[in-house]
């Protein structure tokens, strides 16, 4: 290595600069408070926002094609009051935002992970949450929130959390889909290797991720929700910035549609999908609740979320709390009537509806309303558990 002091080049200095720049490129673009950690050989982008020590940790996971930045904002001159994180922080919650490994234009993640599974996703969320609780000396209390596709991880998270004794007080879906194949099913062309327009078609991207259109659908929905909040259409997340920092391509396994990643292709395997998400194991879920919207543009969620999650809710309560106790104790007629009424009313009690489209939690009105709804469902779930404890005479988690 040559160092020319009197010449016009200083090679050592130049090499160090090049090494520094290369390391930053490999690391990817991270914003304030974001970090990359690795759990079970898979990376996760994390952002922790401390709150009050005695308050639960709210752990928020994004849906398909999206980073968790959709909940806290990162672009230049963004208004924090238009994002969910601001309003949850106002209530004193500790916050953890987690982005599963996906392909984002600004290269958040080094490498490619197209074979990432729902089970691995659940383990990742549980382990990251446990670490943050221990590192910050928080109480072992978690409110898990999942938007859209993140509904698929609810059961896997419940199982992973139980293994490491992470106490999930409640899982709350935001226009989320339970982990049961068949509730949504896009058209898939597994052999195509190029991107396409916005027609609900999945294709194999260059890195093996599922490419869903070109980001125009997300941009359009965000813009429409901005106008619903009385804002200019491009003011929440400008379209080009959305494609660069917020949205990307997703591991196909996470959609729970019956398609699996295999060596550069998508192959049909429903049995593997069912085993991965295990939505049939109702006792394995945390207690769940849901918040949906009223938009005709998000008709499937608006019409079915309460009842899809209602099936999970009543079966979770029945299998985890009621039936085990009925084997040990004979309830009188009055007690049995109370139990029946409570279980039947639980889906209504643990469901809320807000105005807006699939991105209803964006924009000041929607973000504040969603934070209020999360707070309300947390209170309702605690009241519900207290009543169950009173009737059943057992601890209810």
């Amino acid at each position: 290595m040559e160092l020319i002091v009197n010449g016009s080049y200083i090679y050592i200095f130049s090499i160090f600069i090049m090494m520094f720049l290369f390391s930053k490129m490999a690391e990817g673009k991270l914003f304030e408070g974001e970090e990359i950690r690795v759990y079970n050989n898979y990376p996760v982008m994390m952002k922790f926002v401390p709150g009050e020590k005695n308050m639960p940790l709210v752990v928020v996971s994004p849906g398909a094609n999206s980073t968790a930045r959709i909940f806290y904002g990162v672009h230049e001159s963004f208004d924090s009051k238009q994002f969910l994180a601001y309003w949850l922080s106002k209530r004193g919650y500790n916050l953890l935002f987690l982005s599963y490994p996906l392909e984002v234009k600004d290269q958040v993640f080094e490498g490619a992970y197209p074979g990432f599974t729902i089970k691995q996703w659940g383990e990742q969320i549980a382990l990251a949450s446990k670490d943050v609780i221990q590192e910050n000396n928080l109480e072992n209390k978690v409110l898990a929130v999942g938007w859209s596709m993140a509904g698929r991880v609810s059961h896997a998270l419940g199982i992973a959390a139980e293994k490491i004794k992470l106490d999930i007080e409640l899982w709350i879906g935001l226009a989320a889909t339970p982990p049961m194949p068949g509730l949504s099913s896009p058209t898939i062309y597994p052999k195509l290797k190029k991107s396409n327009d916005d027609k609900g078609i999945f294709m194999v991207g260059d890195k093996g991720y599922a490419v869903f259109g070109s980001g125009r659908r997300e941009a359009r929905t965000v813009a429409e929700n901005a106008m619903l909040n009385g804002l200019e259409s491009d003011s929440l997340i400008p379209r080009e910035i959305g494609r660069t920092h917020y949205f990307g391509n997703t591991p196909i396994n996470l959609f729970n549609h019956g398609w699996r990643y295999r060596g550069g292709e998508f192959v049909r395997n429903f049995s593997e999908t069912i085993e991965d998400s295990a939505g049939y194991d109702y006792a394995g879920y945390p207690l769940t609740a849901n918040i949906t919207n009223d938009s005709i543009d998000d008709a499937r969620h608006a019409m079915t979320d309460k009842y899809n999650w209602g099936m999970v809710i009543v079966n979770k309560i029945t299998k985890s709390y009621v039936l085990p106790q009925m084997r040990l104790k004979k309830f009188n007629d009055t007690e049995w009537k109370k139990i029946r009424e409570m279980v039947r009313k639980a889906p209504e009690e643990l469901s809320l509806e807000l105005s807006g489209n699939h991105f209803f939690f964006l924009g000041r009105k929607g973000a504040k309303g969603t934070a209020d709804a999360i707070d309300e469902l947390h209170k309702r779930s605690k009241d519900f558990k207290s009543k169950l404890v009173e009737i059943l005479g057992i601890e209810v988690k």
Side-chain angles (χ1 to χ4, degrees):
M1 186 178 294
E2 183 180 7
L3 174 62
I4 302 177
V5 177
N6 296 321
S8 58
Y9 303 102
I10 302 178
Y11 292 125
I12 294 177
F13 180 73
S14 298
I15 289 170
F16 275 119
I17 290 294
M18 289 172 64
M19 290 174 63
F20 173 78
L21 291 175
F22 177 79
S23 69
K24 287 299 177 186
M25 287 172 63
E27 183 183 80
K29 177 69 173 177
L30 297 179
F31 292 89
E32 183 180 359
E34 295 179 341
E35 62 173 312
I36 301 289
R37 294 193 189 183
V38 176
Y39 292 99
N40 293 346
N41 299 316
Y42 288 96
V44 58
M45 184 174 72
M46 303 169 51
K47 178 169 181 169
F48 171 64
V49 181
E52 298 172 14
K53 288 288 185 182
N54 64 331
M55 290 289 282
L57 177 67
V58 178
V59 180
V60 191
S61 301
N65 316 318
S66 179
T67 67
R69 291 168 174 171
I70 196 76
F71 302 113
Y72 55 85
V74 293
H75 60 277
E76 188 177 353
S77 74
F78 79 93
D79 181 357
S80 62
K81 293 180 181 178
Q82 308 292 348
F83 290 83
L84 180 61
Y86 175 87
W87 298 101
L88 287 174
S89 288
K90 292 280 284 185
R91 285 155 181 75
Y93 288 112
N94 298 280
L95 306 176
L96 178 61
F97 300 96
L98 301 174
S99 298
Y100 57 82
L102 72 164
E103 182 185 13
V104 185
K105 207 176 230 183
D106 63 5
Q107 298 179 333
V108 170
F109 298 101
E110 182 183 358
Y113 307 90
F116 190 62
T117 68
I118 291 172
K119 191 174 292 184
Q120 290 163 339
W121 191 14
E123 292 169 352
Q124 186 181 79
I125 295 170
L127 291 168
S129 302
K130 186 77 168 181
D131 274 0
V132 166
I133 286 171
Q134 292 176 340
E135 290 165 6
N136 295 278
N137 196 29
L138 303 178
E139 293 186 24
N140 184 21
K141 297 187 297 184
V142 170
L143 291 181
V145 178
W147 169 51
S148 193
M149 183 190 73
R152 311 294 200 181
V153 80
S154 52
H155 176 269
L157 175 56
I159 295 299
E162 187 175 358
K163 288 179 180 177
I164 62 173
K165 301 190 185 317
L166 179 71
D167 184 6
I168 298 182
E169 293 190 310
L170 185 66
W171 190 93
I172 302 173
L174 308 181
T177 303
M180 299 159 192
L183 295 182
S184 62
S185 53
T187 303
I188 297 183
Y189 291 93
K191 300 295 184 184
L192 293 184
K193 297 287 186 179
K194 62 181 181 178
S195 182
N196 206 323
D197 56 13
D198 187 16
K199 295 180 180 177
I201 299 173
F202 285 107
M203 288 146 294
V204 187
D206 293 337
K207 293 185 178 181
Y209 290 97
V211 177
F212 190 23
S214 60
R216 286 199 293 271
R217 186 186 70 156
E218 288 85 0
R220 184 182 68 247
T221 311
V222 170
E224 289 170 353
N225 203 63
M227 291 186 286
L228 289 172
N229 277 266
L231 303 169
E232 295 292 327
S233 64
D234 216 31
S235 62
L236 278 177
I237 300 175
R239 291 170 187 256
E240 287 305 316
I241 289 175
R243 284 194 283 264
T244 301
H245 298 328
Y246 290 85
F247 306 117
N249 299 324
T250 307
I252 190 69
N253 299 340
L254 302 188
F255 288 97
N256 206 45
H257 291 143
W259 291 91
R260 311 296 289 178
Y261 178 78
R262 286 286 185 278
E265 294 184 353
F266 298 158
V267 299
R268 201 73 158 158
N269 193 322
F270 257 107
S271 61
E272 190 174 313
T273 291
I274 291 168
E275 181 63 25
D276 187 20
S277 58
Y280 52 83
D281 175 28
Y282 296 105
Y285 288 86
L287 183 63
T288 67
N290 68 94
I291 305 168
T292 194
N293 62 75
D294 60 359
S295 174
I296 193 171
D297 292 328
D298 201 25
R300 181 175 63 85
H301 287 285
M303 290 189 293
T304 68
D305 279 359
K306 179 190 290 189
Y307 303 100
N308 286 339
W309 288 106
M311 183 171 68
V312 175
I313 290 167
V314 296
N315 280 284
K316 165 65 180 178
I317 295 167
T318 301
K319 289 179 176 290
S320 291
Y321 310 139
V322 178
L323 291 182
Q325 190 64 1
M326 289 182 73
R327 298 187 187 103
L328 302 174
K329 177 182 177 181
K330 182 174 175 61
F331 296 102
N332 61 41
D333 290 344
T334 301
E335 292 171 328
W336 174 229
K337 183 178 180 181
K338 284 183 180 179
I339 292 170
R340 294 199 315 274
E341 289 177 349
M342 279 192 66
V343 173
R344 290 171 179 173
K345 291 178 180 178
E348 185 72 32
E349 192 170 345
L350 297 175
S351 301
L352 291 172
E353 181 181 274
L354 297 178
S355 293
N357 58 29
H358 199 58
F359 289 80
F360 65 85
F361 52 84
L362 265 177
R364 180 171 180 149
K365 178 183 176 182
K368 183 179 183 302
T370 303
D372 289 341
I374 289 171
D375 209 35
E376 174 65 21
L377 287 173
H378 184 211
K379 291 174 183 173
R380 290 187 186 186
S381 70
K382 288 196 291 187
D383 290 343
F384 181 82
K385 288 177 182 178
S386 295
K387 292 175 184 175
L388 268 184
V389 169
E390 183 181 336
I391 296 174
L392 299 178
I394 59 170
E395 183 181 6
V396 173
K397 291 186 177 181

